[in-house]
Amino acid sequence: MEEPATRELEMSLSDGTSDDDMPLSLPAEGSHSGSIRKGCDPFAQTQRSKLQHRRSRINQQINKEMRMRAGAENLFRATTNNKVKETVALELSFVNSNLQLLKEELEELNSNMEVYQTDSEAINVPMIPLGLKETKEVDFTVCIQDFICEHYGEDSSLYDKEIKELMDLRQAMRTPSRNQAGLELLMEYYNQLYYLDQRFFPIHRTLGAHFHWYDSLTGVPSCQRTLAFEKGSVLFNLGALFTQIGARQDRSATAGIDRAIDAFQRAAGAFNYLKENFSNAPSLDMSSPSLCMLVRLMVAQVQECVFERVTLTTQDTHFTSQLHLAQEAARVSDVYLLVLQTMAQPLMKDYVPFSWASMVQVKSEHFRAISHYYAAVALCDHTLSVEEDEGDKEAEKAFLQFYVNVPAGPPLSQVLRDPEKRRKLGKAHLRRAVIRHEEAMRVHSLCKILRKMDILQDVLSLTHKRSLDKYSELDREDDFDETAEAPEIQSQTHQKPEITPTNFSTVQVTDIFQRLGPLSVFCARARWGPVRVICLQKGEGGLGLTLRGDSPVLVAGVVPGGCAAEAGLREGDYIVAVDGEDCKWAKHGEVVAMLKSCSERGVELSVVTLHSHDTQVERRATALSHSSDKENTRQRVLGGAKGQSSASLLNWNRKKKREGGGPNKRLGSTFSLSFGSIRDPEAMY
């Protein structure tokens, strides 16, 4: 069963959805026949879909070229024929050349930021979105069917519908729409992977399905059989989708800015969770240095949005208001400088697209220039009165804390009250602003991809012209004094960015394979004997057995010499069917009613005996065997404590030992529950 969820992700992230991102069907409440969320139409010829198709094609070509290179290298090492070596070496040079061209083409696609930007006519600095990781289709049919036959001892053909539903959900997850429905689709599949892991991935072996994913930036393929790789890649795409949603918001109004801030903070949360909980990543985009860079980039873009909101909401031109704007802009410049330093690290330097590094450097210079501009506006457009009032005292206090270091020369309080000194200091700030603007434009001109972005060119040109005009306004013909060097501005912000963790409980899911039985018993970690059919006939003393719990009902005791004991029923058996009717999910009272309604010919019980069990699952069985709502309890654990699902999926390899591997309690060779911990009263039949 599903529980109603508090959907805190419902805060209009999908606002402004364009036609190219509409899903094939939108969520409908109350539906339980498969996933209600669908992906985008993969054949829709839209800007974004064309971009993803080109990315997919290049990824496949890179995969092909890398296989050819691996084969050629093996042949080169194996052969002793010099003629063959020369031919192979020539072929290798062609392959490496093709790989370089493909990677350059993919880098250009990854740098195509305009596709993800808003259609608004407002002039804003473009944000940096992240493209989704591409993946191949996975056919679960054979491996799941084999596991159901081998492990669960059931007819696998009865589960064809469930297998198809799982594969359809994964197929839809490959093309999520850029809105709330797309986010929920990814989280639905992510949550469903918990059940898949519990049902079909025992500790000592893998299912046999291969998960192929391509690096988001380089297109280099990776393939693993561990479900952790699949889960981590889906989580990466969740963060990437948040970046695309944030980049497309119309930031000309505060509502759009707030949505962009929320999206970028959630993207940072997804990447940060991936960095902290998944280790030994097989692809560079999910390595710790790369994720650290992405988290910092998202935080920087949040800080930029905060500055834009402060600019929109600051209507007055008071001295302190302009100082606050200058400090906010300085803060944006500082965080982008930190991102640039992260991108310059050895592992990241050759990995991050050149256009990304250029854009970050442009923004760092651009916002530093804006910071000096607002400082000049504050100094030159505001005059303190001769007689001090409360406003002047506040302005003086703010100005004394404005610089990183106290500049040489006259005291700042004296500068504030001298119009000429204020003009000269303001002119020094404008000089720094113009220099920074010109540096931003120089870096912009060096990147071919950025030169194609007209809106970025417009922003840089407008702000540069604004600073030049202000400088010309302050410049005088008789001003022969050399312009002093403006001090560094102390960066400060009124809103620090937050890294918002992903709340997976906002999307409730039902186990696709719930017909296999409650997870407390019927999971991949459990081992039990074959199904035994017990024929019971009621005697004078009844059936001679004691039942406890439900879903499934447990045989808590067997009366020695009674009907049940003579028929072969044992303590610790689970009743899975009564007279051929499946009762894995049946309540205690329902099974009792079936037993009491048996005719004189008796009743036929299908039972299984649990032989071995992972300790963690044993504890869950003991705690939940008497529960009236097992799966809801587990679902609350899944939603509320994400460590539950990540504990078994933290590492890409599955070699790490599970915690709590204490000995199981046994009765002979039969697993036995410690019934003393169960408070439900026994019932003798």
Side-chain angles (χ1 to χ4, degrees):
M1 293 180 63
E2 295 184 357
E3 296 179 359
T6 54
R7 296 184 180 274
E8 61 181 50
L9 283 175
E10 291 279 353
M11 47 183 310
S12 304
L13 282 177
S14 58
D15 196 58
T17 304
S18 58
D19 292 338
D20 66 313
D21 294 311
M22 289 301 291
L24 293 178
S25 71
L26 293 174
E29 294 297 330
S31 173
H32 298 278
S33 57
S35 175
I36 56 177
R37 304 173 182 92
K38 306 296 179 184
C40 291
D41 183 359
F43 300 105
Q45 293 299 303
T46 62
Q47 258 191 318
R48 180 170 170 260
S49 65
K50 287 178 182 177
L51 183 65
Q52 285 298 120
H53 288 161
R54 287 180 62 193
R55 281 170 56 89
S56 179
R57 177 181 57 80
I58 293 173
N59 285 332
Q60 292 172 8
Q61 289 177 325
I62 289 175
N63 190 17
K64 178 182 175 183
E65 294 290 340
M66 290 190 70
R67 287 183 176 182
M68 290 178 61
R69 184 173 71 176
E73 288 174 344
N74 290 336
L75 180 58
F76 186 85
R77 286 191 293 265
T79 186
T80 56
N81 188 315
N82 290 331
K83 187 70 175 176
V84 173
K85 280 199 170 190
E86 288 180 9
T87 305
V88 173
L90 182 62
E91 183 65 27
L92 272 173
S93 66
F94 281 116
V95 171
N96 287 329
S97 177
N98 288 341
L99 268 175
Q100 185 61 34
L101 290 173
L102 287 170
K103 289 183 177 181
E104 288 177 2
E105 186 179 354
L106 184 62
E107 179 184 342
E108 186 172 350
L109 290 181
N110 289 327
S111 304
N112 196 338
M113 306 173 201
E114 287 188 297
V115 173
Y116 301 103
Q117 306 300 319
T118 177
D119 296 330
S120 170
E121 296 181 359
I123 298 178
N124 291 110
V125 181
M127 293 295 183
I128 299 178
L130 194 62
L132 302 180
K133 287 173 70 71
E134 295 285 341
T135 180
K136 290 184 178 180
E137 291 185 26
V138 176
D139 190 349
F140 290 107
T141 307
V142 176
C143 53
I144 289 183
Q145 283 182 342
D146 289 348
F147 194 87
I148 290 175
C149 287
E150 174 192 339
H151 185 78
Y152 292 99
E154 296 196 33
D155 184 357
S156 59
S157 63
L158 299 176
Y159 292 89
D160 288 347
K161 180 183 177 183
E162 283 85 350
I163 295 173
K164 183 179 184 304
E165 182 181 337
L166 175 64
M167 292 173 61
D168 287 346
L169 178 60
R170 190 183 190 277
Q171 181 66 20
M173 173 275 305
R174 296 174 66 190
T175 56
S177 53
R178 273 191 302 167
N179 52 24
Q180 183 66 31
L183 295 170
E184 291 181 352
L185 175 61
L186 287 172
M187 282 193 281
E188 178 183 354
Y189 182 67
Y190 184 91
N191 286 344
Q192 198 64 243
L193 290 177
Y194 170 85
Y195 292 110
L196 197 67
D197 176 62
Q198 296 296 310
R199 294 287 190 192
F200 303 109
F201 284 80
I203 296 173
H204 59 279
R205 54 174 282 195
T206 58
L207 183 62
H210 291 79
F211 302 106
H212 296 263
W213 288 86
Y214 295 93
D215 190 288
S216 176
L217 297 181
T218 64
V220 175
S222 298
C223 175
Q224 287 204 355
R225 290 185 294 177
T226 59
L227 201 62
F229 182 41
E230 175 86 345
K231 199 172 185 183
S233 299
V234 174
L235 188 57
F236 184 94
N237 273 1
L238 183 66
L241 191 59
F242 272 122
T243 69
Q244 295 180 17
I245 290 174
R248 72 172 307 170
Q249 299 303 320
D250 180 4
R251 305 195 313 276
S252 61
T254 55
I257 292 175
D258 288 340
R259 288 193 294 269
I261 288 175
D262 182 72
F264 287 129
Q265 288 184 157
R266 293 183 186 278
F271 295 135
N272 191 60
Y273 181 72
L274 188 58
K275 176 173 71 74
E276 292 180 350
N277 291 280
F278 291 81
S279 59
N280 305 321
S283 58
L284 196 54
D285 56 353
M286 293 195 291
S287 65
S288 184
S290 175
L291 293 170
C292 181
M293 179 271 295
L294 290 174
V295 170
R296 290 181 176 179
L297 177 60
M298 295 305 111
V299 168
Q301 296 192 142
V302 171
Q303 198 69 66
E304 182 179 348
C305 292
V306 170
F307 170 74
E308 291 175 342
R309 187 173 61 188
V310 172
T311 306
L312 278 178
T313 55
T314 303
Q315 302 296 333
D316 59 79
T317 57
H318 292 165
F319 181 77
T320 53
S321 298
Q322 300 303 307
L323 292 186
H324 289 157
L325 283 172
Q327 290 182 311
E328 285 281 0
R331 179 64 179 172
V332 178
S333 177
D334 285 350
V335 292
Y336 272 117
L337 185 60
L338 181 62
V339 176
L340 188 63
Q341 292 170 356
T342 309
M343 289 180 171
Q345 296 297 319
L347 192 62
M348 292 288 98
K349 188 175 182 180
D350 298 326
Y351 176 69
V352 175
F354 177 67
S355 60
W356 282 26
S358 299
M359 173 68 91
V360 168
Q361 188 177 356
V362 165
K363 288 192 174 189
S364 181
E365 298 291 345
H366 171 71
F367 284 103
R368 184 62 62 179
I370 289 178
S371 175
H372 284 290
Y373 170 80
Y374 280 117
V377 170
L379 288 165
C380 301
D381 294 355
H382 183 74
T383 304
L384 293 183
S385 58
V386 179
E387 297 181 1
E388 290 189 6
D389 56 20
E390 288 299 325
D392 291 345
K393 288 181 180 179
E394 183 183 344
E396 184 175 335
K397 181 180 178 182
F399 190 57
L400 291 175
Q401 301 173 352
F402 185 63
Y403 295 114
V404 176
N405 298 308
V406 178
L412 293 178
S413 56
Q414 185 180 337
V415 171
L416 272 184
R417 301 185 185 285
D418 188 328
E420 182 61 21
K421 287 185 173 63
R422 282 206 319 275
R423 185 189 69 84
K424 288 184 177 180
L425 184 56
K427 186 178 176 182
H429 278 294
L430 284 172
R431 180 173 174 271
R432 287 282 296 273
V434 171
I435 291 173
R436 294 284 187 156
H437 280 308
E438 290 174 350
E439 177 63 14
M441 296 173 77
R442 184 191 71 81
V443 175
H444 170 266
S445 66
L446 294 177
C447 181
K448 179 181 69 174
I449 294 172
L450 294 188
R451 288 200 302 269
K452 296 178 181 179
M453 301 181 68
D454 296 335
I455 189 168
L456 181 58
Q457 179 69 49
D458 292 343
V459 171
L460 297 178
S461 299
L462 285 172
T463 52
H464 180 235
K465 183 178 182 302
R466 183 178 65 176
S467 295
L468 280 176
D469 292 344
K470 191 70 177 176
Y471 186 86
S472 301
E473 182 184 319
L474 296 179
D475 198 22
R476 296 177 181 174
E477 292 183 2
D478 58 346
D479 195 357
F480 299 110
D481 294 336
E482 184 177 347
T483 304
E485 189 70 21
E488 280 298 327
I489 298 169
Q490 178 69 53
S491 66
Q492 189 175 330
T493 181
H494 82 286
Q495 179 184 337
K496 291 184 178 180
E498 297 178 356
I499 297 178
T500 307
T502 305
N503 186 1
F504 299 104
S505 65
T506 57
V507 177
Q508 301 292 317
V509 298
T510 301
D511 181 11
I512 292 177
F513 293 91
Q514 64 176 337
R515 285 200 297 132
L516 287 171
L519 271 176
S520 57
V521 175
F522 301 97
C523 62
R525 275 73 166 172
R527 301 293 298 177
W528 54 82
V531 177
R532 308 192 327 271
V533 178
I534 307 294
C535 295
L536 292 181
Q537 284 190 331
K538 188 181 298 184
E540 294 180 0
L543 295 175
L545 56 87
T546 303
L547 301 181
R548 271 212 188 112
D550 47 24
S551 303
V553 172
L554 181 73
V555 178
V558 178
V559 177
C563 298
E566 291 180 358
L569 199 64
R570 297 195 292 260
E571 177 184 340
D573 285 347
Y574 287 97
I575 300 176
V576 296
V578 177
D579 284 335
E581 184 178 344
D582 188 287
C583 61
K584 296 193 195 83
W585 286 96
K587 304 299 181 185
H588 184 280
E590 294 171 349
V591 174
V592 171
M594 293 179 189
L595 295 178
K596 287 184 176 180
S597 63
C598 65
S599 60
E600 293 182 358
R601 64 175 179 80
V603 63
E604 195 175 81
L605 297 183
S606 298
V607 299
V608 294
T609 303
L610 201 59
H611 289 306
S612 65
H613 216 300
D614 179 64
T615 303
Q616 181 182 359
V617 183
E618 176 187 339
R619 288 197 299 268
R620 188 189 306 136
T622 304
L624 299 184
S625 62
H626 65 290
S627 172
S628 61
D629 197 356
K630 294 180 180 56
E631 290 306 297
N632 272 352
T633 303
R634 200 224 57 80
Q635 185 60 44
R636 285 193 291 272
V637 172
L638 172 64
K642 58 191 175 186
Q644 170 82 11
S645 60
S646 64
S648 60
L649 292 172
L650 294 186
N651 294 300
W652 305 115
N653 53 30
R654 304 183 64 87
K655 295 180 181 179
K656 186 177 180 181
K657 293 182 180 180
R658 300 302 192 274
E659 296 180 358
N664 294 335
K665 291 188 177 183
R666 296 177 182 273
L667 180 62
S669 63
T670 305
F671 172 79
S672 177
L673 293 170
S674 65
F675 298 115
S677 63
I678 302 179
R679 299 179 181 177
D680 282 359
E682 293 184 357
M684 175 73 76
Y685 305 100

mmCIF file of all heavy atoms in Angstrom, residues 168-193:
data_model
loop_
_atom_site.group_PDB
_atom_site.id
_atom_site.type_symbol
_atom_site.label_atom_id
_atom_site.label_comp_id
_atom_site.label_asym_id
_atom_site.label_seq_id
_atom_site.Cartn_x
_atom_site.Cartn_y
_atom_site.Cartn_z
ATOM 1 N N ASP A 168 9.608 -1.077 -18.589
ATOM 2 C CA ASP A 168 8.961 0.139 -19.092
ATOM 3 C C ASP A 168 9.319 1.348 -18.228
ATOM 4 O O ASP A 168 9.530 2.454 -18.740
ATOM 5 C CB ASP A 168 7.439 -0.042 -19.117
ATOM 6 C CG ASP A 168 6.982 -0.977 -20.224
ATOM 7 O OD1 ASP A 168 7.798 -1.276 -21.117
ATOM 8 O OD2 ASP A 168 5.815 -1.422 -20.185
ATOM 9 N N LEU A 169 9.384 1.129 -16.915
ATOM 10 C CA LEU A 169 9.744 2.216 -16.008
ATOM 11 C C LEU A 169 11.176 2.673 -16.270
ATOM 12 O O LEU A 169 11.462 3.873 -16.298
ATOM 13 C CB LEU A 169 9.594 1.754 -14.557
ATOM 14 C CG LEU A 169 9.974 2.766 -13.471
ATOM 15 C CD1 LEU A 169 9.122 4.027 -13.574
ATOM 16 C CD2 LEU A 169 9.837 2.147 -12.088
ATOM 17 N N ARG A 170 12.083 1.728 -16.488
ATOM 18 C CA ARG A 170 13.467 2.108 -16.768
ATOM 19 C C ARG A 170 13.584 2.811 -18.113
ATOM 20 O O ARG A 170 14.346 3.769 -18.269
ATOM 21 C CB ARG A 170 14.384 0.871 -16.758
ATOM 22 C CG ARG A 170 15.862 1.258 -16.796
ATOM 23 C CD ARG A 170 16.784 0.058 -16.851
ATOM 24 N NE ARG A 170 18.158 0.482 -16.651
ATOM 25 C CZ ARG A 170 18.940 0.967 -17.618
ATOM 26 N NH1 ARG A 170 18.479 1.079 -18.859
ATOM 27 N NH2 ARG A 170 20.187 1.338 -17.350
ATOM 28 N N GLN A 171 12.836 2.348 -19.087
ATOM 29 C CA GLN A 171 12.861 3.003 -20.402
ATOM 30 C C GLN A 171 12.362 4.439 -20.296
ATOM 31 O O GLN A 171 12.935 5.355 -20.895
ATOM 32 C CB GLN A 171 12.005 2.201 -21.396
ATOM 33 C CG GLN A 171 11.973 2.770 -22.808
ATOM 34 C CD GLN A 171 13.328 2.694 -23.495
ATOM 35 O OE1 GLN A 171 14.191 1.915 -23.091
ATOM 36 N NE2 GLN A 171 13.524 3.519 -24.510
ATOM 37 N N ALA A 172 11.295 4.653 -19.536
ATOM 38 C CA ALA A 172 10.754 6.008 -19.359
ATOM 39 C C ALA A 172 11.744 6.888 -18.620
ATOM 40 O O ALA A 172 11.879 8.084 -18.911
ATOM 41 C CB ALA A 172 9.430 5.942 -18.603
ATOM 42 N N MET A 173 12.470 6.290 -17.667
ATOM 43 C CA MET A 173 13.434 7.044 -16.875
ATOM 44 C C MET A 173 14.571 7.608 -17.729
ATOM 45 O O MET A 173 15.215 8.605 -17.357
ATOM 46 C CB MET A 173 13.969 6.120 -15.779
ATOM 47 C CG MET A 173 15.112 6.636 -14.927
ATOM 48 S SD MET A 173 16.763 6.375 -15.644
ATOM 49 C CE MET A 173 16.798 4.631 -15.952
ATOM 50 N N ARG A 174 14.809 7.036 -18.889
ATOM 51 C CA ARG A 174 15.903 7.505 -19.755
ATOM 52 C C ARG A 174 15.611 8.859 -20.373
ATOM 53 O O ARG A 174 16.536 9.584 -20.746
ATOM 54 C CB ARG A 174 16.153 6.480 -20.872
ATOM 55 C CG ARG A 174 16.638 5.126 -20.368
ATOM 56 C CD ARG A 174 16.729 4.127 -21.503
ATOM 57 N NE ARG A 174 17.744 4.490 -22.473
ATOM 58 C CZ ARG A 174 17.897 3.902 -23.662
ATOM 59 N NH1 ARG A 174 17.071 2.908 -24.012
ATOM 60 N NH2 ARG A 174 18.839 4.279 -24.488
ATOM 61 N N THR A 175 14.332 9.217 -20.487
ATOM 62 C CA THR A 175 13.962 10.494 -21.121
ATOM 63 C C THR A 175 12.997 11.276 -20.233
ATOM 64 O O THR A 175 11.826 11.453 -20.583
ATOM 65 C CB THR A 175 13.315 10.240 -22.494
ATOM 66 O OG1 THR A 175 12.182 9.359 -22.314
ATOM 67 C CG2 THR A 175 14.297 9.621 -23.468
ATOM 68 N N PRO A 176 13.438 11.733 -19.072
ATOM 69 C CA PRO A 176 12.535 12.475 -18.186
ATOM 70 C C PRO A 176 12.254 13.874 -18.723
ATOM 71 O O PRO A 176 13.109 14.485 -19.372
ATOM 72 C CB PRO A 176 13.322 12.544 -16.868
ATOM 73 C CG PRO A 176 14.753 12.514 -17.301
ATOM 74 C CD PRO A 176 14.801 11.644 -18.523
ATOM 75 N N SER A 177 11.058 14.371 -18.456
ATOM 76 C CA SER A 177 10.724 15.737 -18.854
ATOM 77 C C SER A 177 11.335 16.719 -17.858
ATOM 78 O O SER A 177 11.596 16.377 -16.707
ATOM 79 C CB SER A 177 9.204 15.924 -18.903
ATOM 80 O OG SER A 177 8.626 15.527 -17.672
ATOM 81 N N ARG A 178 11.568 17.946 -18.314
ATOM 82 C CA ARG A 178 12.205 18.959 -17.452
ATOM 83 C C ARG A 178 11.166 19.644 -16.579
ATOM 84 O O ARG A 178 10.926 20.842 -16.676
ATOM 85 C CB ARG A 178 12.938 19.988 -18.306
ATOM 86 C CG ARG A 178 14.348 19.634 -18.669
ATOM 87 C CD ARG A 178 15.063 20.806 -19.278
ATOM 88 N NE ARG A 178 14.388 21.311 -20.464
ATOM 89 C CZ ARG A 178 14.668 22.465 -21.046
ATOM 90 N NH1 ARG A 178 15.584 23.247 -20.516
ATOM 91 N NH2 ARG A 178 14.029 22.835 -22.118
ATOM 92 N N ASN A 179 10.526 18.902 -15.728
ATOM 93 C CA ASN A 179 9.523 19.473 -14.826
ATOM 94 C C ASN A 179 9.336 18.524 -13.648
ATOM 95 O O ASN A 179 10.100 17.572 -13.473
ATOM 96 C CB ASN A 179 8.195 19.718 -15.570
ATOM 97 C CG ASN A 179 7.707 18.484 -16.298
ATOM 98 O OD1 ASN A 179 8.047 17.358 -15.937
ATOM 99 N ND2 ASN A 179 6.908 18.678 -17.331
ATOM 100 N N GLN A 180 8.323 18.788 -12.859
ATOM 101 C CA GLN A 180 8.091 17.985 -11.661
ATOM 102 C C GLN A 180 7.863 16.514 -12.003
ATOM 103 O O GLN A 180 8.325 15.619 -11.283
ATOM 104 C CB GLN A 180 6.875 18.546 -10.914
ATOM 105 C CG GLN A 180 6.562 17.848 -9.591
ATOM 106 C CD GLN A 180 7.655 18.064 -8.564
ATOM 107 O OE1 GLN A 180 8.307 19.102 -8.569
ATOM 108 N NE2 GLN A 180 7.863 17.104 -7.690
ATOM 109 N N ALA A 181 7.153 16.252 -13.111
ATOM 110 C CA ALA A 181 6.884 14.865 -13.503
ATOM 111 C C ALA A 181 8.179 14.119 -13.795
ATOM 112 O O ALA A 181 8.329 12.941 -13.454
ATOM 113 C CB ALA A 181 5.963 14.835 -14.724
ATOM 114 N N GLY A 182 9.147 14.791 -14.436
ATOM 115 C CA GLY A 182 10.429 14.156 -14.726
ATOM 116 C C GLY A 182 11.206 13.831 -13.465
ATOM 117 O O GLY A 182 11.829 12.768 -13.352
ATOM 118 N N LEU A 183 11.173 14.751 -12.501
ATOM 119 C CA LEU A 183 11.852 14.513 -11.222
ATOM 120 C C LEU A 183 11.236 13.321 -10.496
ATOM 121 O O LEU A 183 11.940 12.459 -9.964
ATOM 122 C CB LEU A 183 11.765 15.767 -10.344
ATOM 123 C CG LEU A 183 12.495 17.009 -10.848
ATOM 124 C CD1 LEU A 183 12.116 18.229 -9.999
ATOM 125 C CD2 LEU A 183 14.002 16.806 -10.821
ATOM 126 N N GLU A 184 9.909 13.269 -10.475
ATOM 127 C CA GLU A 184 9.222 12.176 -9.784
ATOM 128 C C GLU A 184 9.477 10.837 -10.477
ATOM 129 O O GLU A 184 9.553 9.798 -9.824
ATOM 130 C CB GLU A 184 7.730 12.469 -9.702
ATOM 131 C CG GLU A 184 7.390 13.625 -8.766
ATOM 132 C CD GLU A 184 5.897 13.888 -8.683
ATOM 133 O OE1 GLU A 184 5.153 13.268 -9.468
ATOM 134 O OE2 GLU A 184 5.491 14.707 -7.846
ATOM 135 N N LEU A 185 9.607 10.871 -11.803
ATOM 136 C CA LEU A 185 9.890 9.644 -12.548
ATOM 137 C C LEU A 185 11.247 9.065 -12.134
ATOM 138 O O LEU A 185 11.372 7.859 -11.882
ATOM 139 C CB LEU A 185 9.871 9.936 -14.047
ATOM 140 C CG LEU A 185 10.255 8.789 -14.985
ATOM 141 C CD1 LEU A 185 9.306 7.619 -14.821
ATOM 142 C CD2 LEU A 185 10.265 9.263 -16.433
ATOM 143 N N LEU A 186 12.268 9.919 -12.053
ATOM 144 C CA LEU A 186 13.592 9.453 -11.645
ATOM 145 C C LEU A 186 13.583 8.943 -10.210
ATOM 146 O O LEU A 186 14.195 7.917 -9.895
ATOM 147 C CB LEU A 186 14.613 10.590 -11.792
ATOM 148 C CG LEU A 186 15.021 10.950 -13.224
ATOM 149 C CD1 LEU A 186 15.882 12.203 -13.238
ATOM 150 C CD2 LEU A 186 15.765 9.800 -13.876
ATOM 151 N N MET A 187 12.868 9.647 -9.316
ATOM 152 C CA MET A 187 12.822 9.221 -7.922
ATOM 153 C C MET A 187 12.011 7.936 -7.758
ATOM 154 O O MET A 187 12.309 7.110 -6.896
ATOM 155 C CB MET A 187 12.265 10.341 -7.045
ATOM 156 C CG MET A 187 13.298 11.420 -6.758
ATOM 157 S SD MET A 187 12.821 12.552 -5.441
ATOM 158 C CE MET A 187 11.705 13.625 -6.312
ATOM 159 N N GLU A 188 10.989 7.769 -8.589
ATOM 160 C CA GLU A 188 10.209 6.527 -8.534
ATOM 161 C C GLU A 188 11.086 5.337 -8.892
ATOM 162 O O GLU A 188 11.081 4.305 -8.197
ATOM 163 C CB GLU A 188 9.018 6.604 -9.494
ATOM 164 C CG GLU A 188 8.191 5.329 -9.510
ATOM 165 C CD GLU A 188 7.049 5.381 -10.521
ATOM 166 O OE1 GLU A 188 6.830 6.441 -11.130
ATOM 167 O OE2 GLU A 188 6.394 4.337 -10.703
ATOM 168 N N TYR A 189 11.858 5.469 -9.961
ATOM 169 C CA TYR A 189 12.741 4.364 -10.350
ATOM 170 C C TYR A 189 13.832 4.149 -9.302
ATOM 171 O O TYR A 189 14.186 3.013 -8.967
ATOM 172 C CB TYR A 189 13.367 4.654 -11.717
ATOM 173 C CG TYR A 189 14.258 3.535 -12.216
ATOM 174 C CD1 TYR A 189 13.729 2.294 -12.552
ATOM 175 C CD2 TYR A 189 15.626 3.724 -12.331
ATOM 176 C CE1 TYR A 189 14.542 1.261 -12.995
ATOM 177 C CE2 TYR A 189 16.455 2.702 -12.769
ATOM 178 C CZ TYR A 189 15.909 1.471 -13.103
ATOM 179 O OH TYR A 189 16.723 0.455 -13.523
ATOM 180 N N TYR A 190 14.374 5.247 -8.768
ATOM 181 C CA TYR A 190 15.400 5.152 -7.719
ATOM 182 C C TYR A 190 14.859 4.393 -6.513
ATOM 183 O O TYR A 190 15.528 3.499 -5.970
ATOM 184 C CB TYR A 190 15.842 6.557 -7.322
ATOM 185 C CG TYR A 190 16.963 6.604 -6.306
ATOM 186 C CD1 TYR A 190 18.291 6.644 -6.708
ATOM 187 C CD2 TYR A 190 16.696 6.616 -4.945
ATOM 188 C CE1 TYR A 190 19.320 6.690 -5.784
ATOM 189 C CE2 TYR A 190 17.721 6.662 -4.011
ATOM 190 C CZ TYR A 190 19.029 6.700 -4.440
ATOM 191 O OH TYR A 190 20.042 6.744 -3.518
ATOM 192 N N ASN A 191 13.654 4.720 -6.073
ATOM 193 C CA ASN A 191 13.053 4.018 -4.935
ATOM 194 C C ASN A 191 12.737 2.556 -5.269
ATOM 195 O O ASN A 191 12.850 1.670 -4.418
ATOM 196 C CB ASN A 191 11.779 4.727 -4.492
ATOM 197 C CG ASN A 191 12.062 6.021 -3.745
ATOM 198 O OD1 ASN A 191 13.183 6.247 -3.300
ATOM 199 N ND2 ASN A 191 11.061 6.861 -3.613
ATOM 200 N N GLN A 192 12.337 2.322 -6.509
ATOM 201 C CA GLN A 192 12.011 0.954 -6.914
ATOM 202 C C GLN A 192 13.256 0.060 -6.899
ATOM 203 O O GLN A 192 13.153 -1.167 -6.697
ATOM 204 C CB GLN A 192 11.385 0.966 -8.314
ATOM 205 C CG GLN A 192 10.625 -0.274 -8.690
ATOM 206 C CD GLN A 192 9.407 -0.529 -7.824
ATOM 207 O OE1 GLN A 192 9.351 -1.537 -7.131
ATOM 208 N NE2 GLN A 192 8.449 0.387 -7.850
ATOM 209 N N LEU A 193 14.438 0.677 -7.080
ATOM 210 C CA LEU A 193 15.670 -0.100 -7.052
ATOM 211 C C LEU A 193 15.927 -0.701 -5.677
ATOM 212 O O LEU A 193 16.631 -1.708 -5.557
ATOM 213 C CB LEU A 193 16.865 0.779 -7.468
ATOM 214 C CG LEU A 193 16.907 1.184 -8.942
ATOM 215 C CD1 LEU A 193 18.095 2.102 -9.204
ATOM 216 C CD2 LEU A 193 16.966 -0.033 -9.847
#
